[in-house]
């Protein structure tokens, strides 16, 4: 069967999700990484299933996998970014808040196709670079971002500094929004689907297997996607701010800049721009 790029991403993500689902709740060996991080046998097996799908449908492309590193031909400049199990810490303690991410980065840096599968809901969120949707039971449905929930996820995965804590404790934040902490791709997907109002993470999100797919889905769904200080993504201060609409983005941006200043950092970046212009900047990725 011949697949286009976003169908290839969907097929690969769903192959990984099938492995993650089948191994859930079983005894899993661990492979230690740096900083207390680890992978399970399910991470590794899911990545192998994803790589097999990509090599079948796109044998001429390069791949970067979280567990296996870089492989394949780099001649055409196309590279697949693979996160086989975003939420390993959750998964290892039998918490099913996880996702499987696959994204295609072009030589320009643009993410032109992406899929993020939730192994337990059976949903696969996708983007073809222009449109986004969610596939349930083989049928595609549109995504409708909404700020109605007022729920905002803030990534607290280490390493991090004082900025997330200052934002969460700011009276202006708790008076308007309700904080949640979900350090997996699901947080981004839920902004795209209207289940969250926004998502904030600090630190580098460039060329990361963790964020490429979710960011691409959010952008194609019509969310406002910028750097953490409102600048075009991957310029100025590192980080990511994704909001369901411009009003939510503006309110959070004010709070973030205020908390940034209180931490002794500049409250603006030379690359700052309005949300309207920065929301169309190229997408890529960073850790979840």
């Amino acid at each position: 069967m011949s697949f286009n790029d976003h169908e290839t991403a969907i097929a690969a993500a769903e192959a990984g999700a099938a492995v993650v689902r089948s191994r859930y709740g079983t005894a899993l060996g661990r492979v230690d990484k740096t900083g207390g991080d680890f992978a399970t046998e399910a991470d590794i097996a899911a990545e192998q299933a994803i790589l097999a799908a990509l090599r079948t449908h796109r044998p001429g492309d390069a791949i970067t996998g979280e567990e296996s590193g870089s492989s394949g031909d780099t001649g055409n400049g196309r590279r697949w970014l693979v996160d086989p199990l975003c939420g390993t810490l959750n998964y290892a303690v039998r918490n099913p808040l996880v996702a499987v991410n696959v994204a295609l980065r072009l030589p320009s840096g643009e993410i032109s196709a992406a899929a993020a599968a939730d192994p337990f809901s059976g949903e696969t969120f996708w983007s073809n670079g222009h449109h986004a949707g969610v596939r349930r039971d083989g049928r595609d449905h549109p995504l409708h971002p909404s700020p109605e929930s007022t729920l905002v996820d803030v990534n607290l995965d280490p390493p991090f500094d004082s900025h997330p804590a200052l934002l969460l404790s700011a009276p202006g934040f708790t008076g308007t929004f309700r904080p949640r902490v979900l350090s997996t791709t699901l947080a981004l997907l839920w902004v795209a689907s209207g289940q969250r109002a926004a998502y904030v993470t600090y630190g580098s999100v460039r060329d990361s297997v963790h964020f490429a797919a979710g960011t691409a889905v959010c952008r194609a769904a019509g969310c406002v996607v910028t750097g953490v200080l409102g600048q075009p993504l991957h310029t100025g201060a590192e980080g990511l701010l994704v909001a369901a609409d411009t009003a939510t983005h503006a309110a959070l941006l004010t709070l973030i800049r205020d908390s940034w200043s209180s931490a002794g950092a500049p409250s603006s970046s030379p690359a700052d721009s309005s949300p309207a212009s920065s929301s169309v900047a190229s997408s890529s990725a960073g850790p979840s």
Side-chain angles (χ1 to χ4, degrees):
M1 181 182 297
S2 178
F3 287 165
N4 59 29
D5 285 337
H6 87 272
E7 290 289 351
T8 295
I10 290 170
E14 291 183 345
V19 173
V20 170
R21 191 165 49 248
S22 70
R23 301 294 296 272
Y24 182 70
T26 65
L28 295 169
R30 298 187 181 189
V31 177
D32 289 331
K33 300 182 182 181
T34 59
D37 194 12
F38 63 89
T40 71
E41 293 173 339
D43 295 67
I44 296 168
E47 181 159 305
Q48 291 304 310
I50 294 167
L51 267 56
L54 293 176
R55 288 167 179 157
T56 296
H57 298 293
R58 292 294 184 272
D61 294 351
I63 303 171
T64 296
E66 181 180 12
E67 309 307 334
S68 59
S70 297
S71 62
D73 187 358
T74 59
N76 65 14
R78 290 162 47 98
R79 179 172 294 276
W80 294 89
L81 305 176
V82 174
D83 179 5
L85 180 47
C86 185
T88 299
L89 290 172
N90 285 339
Y91 187 81
V93 295
R94 302 185 182 185
N95 184 323
L97 296 176
V98 302
V100 176
N101 302 322
V102 178
L104 174 61
R105 189 191 66 197
L106 299 181
S108 64
E110 175 189 2
I111 301 298
S112 64
D118 181 337
F120 301 103
S121 72
E123 297 175 314
T124 302
F125 296 78
W126 58 266
S127 166
N128 63 9
H130 304 286
H131 305 288
V134 57
R135 184 165 296 182
R136 302 186 189 98
D137 299 322
R139 298 183 61 184
D140 289 329
H141 305 270
L143 294 172
H144 301 290
S146 169
E148 184 176 356
S149 72
T150 72
L151 298 173
V152 176
D153 272 300
V154 179
N155 185 0
L156 292 186
D157 269 1
F160 56 82
D161 52 24
S162 62
H163 293 108
L166 289 169
L167 174 62
L168 289 170
S169 62
F173 183 92
T174 55
T176 306
F177 301 107
R178 293 294 178 266
R180 293 293 184 271
V181 179
L182 177 63
S183 298
T184 77
T185 300
L186 292 180
L188 279 169
L189 303 179
W190 289 347
V191 179
S193 63
Q195 296 168 270
R196 291 289 191 269
Y199 176 81
V200 181
T201 186
Y202 296 84
S204 177
V205 296
R206 183 188 295 273
D207 292 339
S208 164
V209 298
H210 303 288
F211 287 117
T215 303
V217 169
C218 285
R219 172 165 287 113
C223 300
V224 182
V225 179
T226 71
V228 75
L229 292 180
Q231 77 279 14
L233 199 55
H234 315 313
T235 65
E238 294 182 335
L240 175 66
L241 170 57
V242 177
D245 65 349
T246 55
T248 300
H249 184 277
L252 282 168
L253 184 57
T254 296
L255 291 167
I256 290 169
R257 286 177 167 170
D258 288 347
S259 65
W260 195 272
S261 297
S262 68
S267 61
S268 62
S269 159
D272 279 356
S273 65
S274 69
S277 62
S278 57
S279 66
V280 296
S282 66
S283 66
S284 192
S288 75

